[in-house]
Amino acid sequence: MRLRATEAEIIQVRSPIDDEVVFERPAAHEWEVQAALDKAKTAQTKWAALPLEERLEYLAQFTNAMVNKTEEIARELTVMMGRPISYTPGEMRGFAERARKMIELAPRALASLEVGEGRRVDRTPQGVVFVVAAWNYPYLIAVNTVVPALAAGNAVLLKHSSQTMACAERFAQAFQEVGLPEGVFQVLHLTHQATEQLVASGGCDVVSFTGSVEGGRAIHRAAAGTLTPTGLELGGKDPAYVRDDADLEFAAENLADGAFFNSGQSCCGIERIYVHHSRFDEFVDLLVGHAYKLKLGNPLEPETTLGPLVRAKAADFVRAQLKQAEEMGAQALLKRGLGEGTYLPPEILIDVHHGMAVMTEETFGPVVGVMPVESDEEAVLLMNDSRFGLTASVWTEDLHRADRLARKIQAGTVFANRCDYLDPSLAWTGVKDSGRGCTLSLVGYEQLTKPKSFHLRKVPR
């Protein structure tokens, strides 16, 4: 199927720092999208024919090329999406960790499964993988699929968020620098409509999307009838439970970071905390103390620890949740106001309940509700009372108890005594409205490959 023409337009990146246009590109025309798809299909066959060791060497050199530009990438990232400059270099450290782990795992993940004489199952590439990446961790999100997809012998088309288009071009520049064969990796700057048209065309063999639930549904609808596999990493309303035996100082420090880092704009950030009633007041006091240390301001200033939200509309959404919660009886503890434009101070709410949107719907901002519970059982019940299920965390000295609770919690990942972290050795996945499919780990290679069985029988004599 050929793609329908789309109206050309300029896509602009406006910095949340001052609303200035800092980057712009024309949206790809219909013929450019089709040409990229045709080129990818041609290049993929030759790329897959290369020995795995050669593909992995390209990827190792690409990773080094990206890391070598950490300083300029970090500043560019701060300007595009507002994370403080003191933190953005950390994204490239995470990028390198994930890329190198997926390169390390590739020989095992792609090895043939020998099941007997003349019989085996190979993992073969799907073909062309279309990656649609989000803005909030633009390098980390994209690398989760780009590196293993290429390692497995696929070609990749990367469409990045309109907020972080420059990140996609950084990928392309690094691949060009290391001499990746033409057509194996390409960048497309697309409108939402053109993105859906590409998915609906059935021209791609796998679609990997990270973004909102609404965006995931749009991709799912577009793929309907094409039989194209889709991986969807969507939203979260991630809970934490602080048991009565927890190290409260440790828990408060780490949960404050989990709730407020990146201004709360993390799909696996902490958005609700349940605390055993016997330790509630003590924990809340400690959490407030850590939150008061945050400095909201211009993210290009090194002393800033809390930057703006990505758009004024996003900040207004969080303000509306806060106002509704307070109207319903919630008590705000930090009382630093509602800020202006994209700048929103952090807030901690108590006297909250699940009748409030701030405790049930994704916030994606620097706000967390804290609620006392009477028992482990009540905590699990409330943690599961959500349409989301990305991550959850339990804070306790008893890891055996944490393991038993984790088995009951409906989430793709359950942590004990940590949060808001992706270990690339573990499968990154969600349940319920948090999505479907998986990236990272050995398991992450499965949706990027397809099994092919061989039964080579000797002629009986």
Side-chain angles (χ1 to χ4, degrees), residues 68-86:
N68 289 341
K69 294 181 175 61
T70 292
E71 186 175 346
E72 56 194 90
I73 285 175
R75 181 177 177 81
E76 185 177 78
L77 185 54
T78 292
V79 170
M80 283 192 296
M81 51 80 64
R83 189 184 310 144
I85 191 66
S86 56

Side-chain angles (χ1 to χ4, degrees), residues 82 84-87 295-308:
I85 191 66
S86 56
Y87 297 140
K295 178 176 174 53
L296 175 67
N298 186 327
L300 290 171
E301 297 174 357
E303 63 272 17
T304 296
T305 55
L306 193 74

Side-chain angles (χ1 to χ4, degrees), residues 283-432:
F283 172 81
V284 169
D285 287 344
L286 290 168
L287 187 69
V288 167
H290 285 290
Y292 269 130
K293 298 175 186 177
L294 296 169
K295 178 176 174 53
L296 175 67
N298 186 327
L300 290 171
E301 297 174 357
E303 63 272 17
T304 296
T305 55
L306 193 74
L309 270 69
V310 69
R311 299 181 190 91
K313 182 178 179 181
D316 288 340
F317 176 84
V318 180
R319 292 182 182 107
Q321 278 198 357
L322 279 168
K323 290 177 181 177
Q324 184 214 45
E326 290 191 89
E327 288 170 358
M328 296 179 70
Q331 180 183 349
L333 299 181
L334 301 183
K335 300 185 184 301
R336 293 170 61 177
L338 296 176
E340 295 181 356
T342 56
Y343 290 85
L344 180 68
E347 190 56 89
I348 296 169
L349 299 174
I350 59 172
D351 297 330
V352 291
H353 56 75
H354 278 216
M356 301 173 180
V358 77
M359 292 298 286
T360 56
E361 295 300 319
E362 189 171 29
T363 301
F364 226 60
V367 174
V368 65
V370 191
M371 186 174 172
V373 294
E374 296 293 322
S375 64
D376 290 352
E377 290 71 25
E378 183 183 8
V380 171
L381 183 68
L382 290 169
M383 293 170 90
N384 288 343
D385 182 30
S386 173
R387 65 190 181 98
F388 298 103
L390 191 55
T391 79
S393 62
V394 178
W395 301 79
T396 177
E397 297 281 4
D398 186 346
L399 291 185
H400 293 292
R401 183 61 178 169
D403 192 358
R404 291 195 294 273
L405 291 174
R407 295 170 190 269
K408 300 176 183 178
I409 295 170
Q410 298 164 359
T413 299
V414 181
F415 301 100
N417 302 317
R418 82 173 309 159
C419 60
D420 193 24
Y421 172 70
L422 277 70
D423 181 339
S425 296
L426 297 176
W428 184 244
T429 186
V431 300
K432 298 188 278 190

Side-chain angles (χ1 to χ4, degrees), residues 84 143 172 209 243 247 263 287 344 357 431:
V143 77
F209 172 87
R243 294 190 75 235
D247 181 325
S263 297
L287 187 69
L344 180 68
V431 300

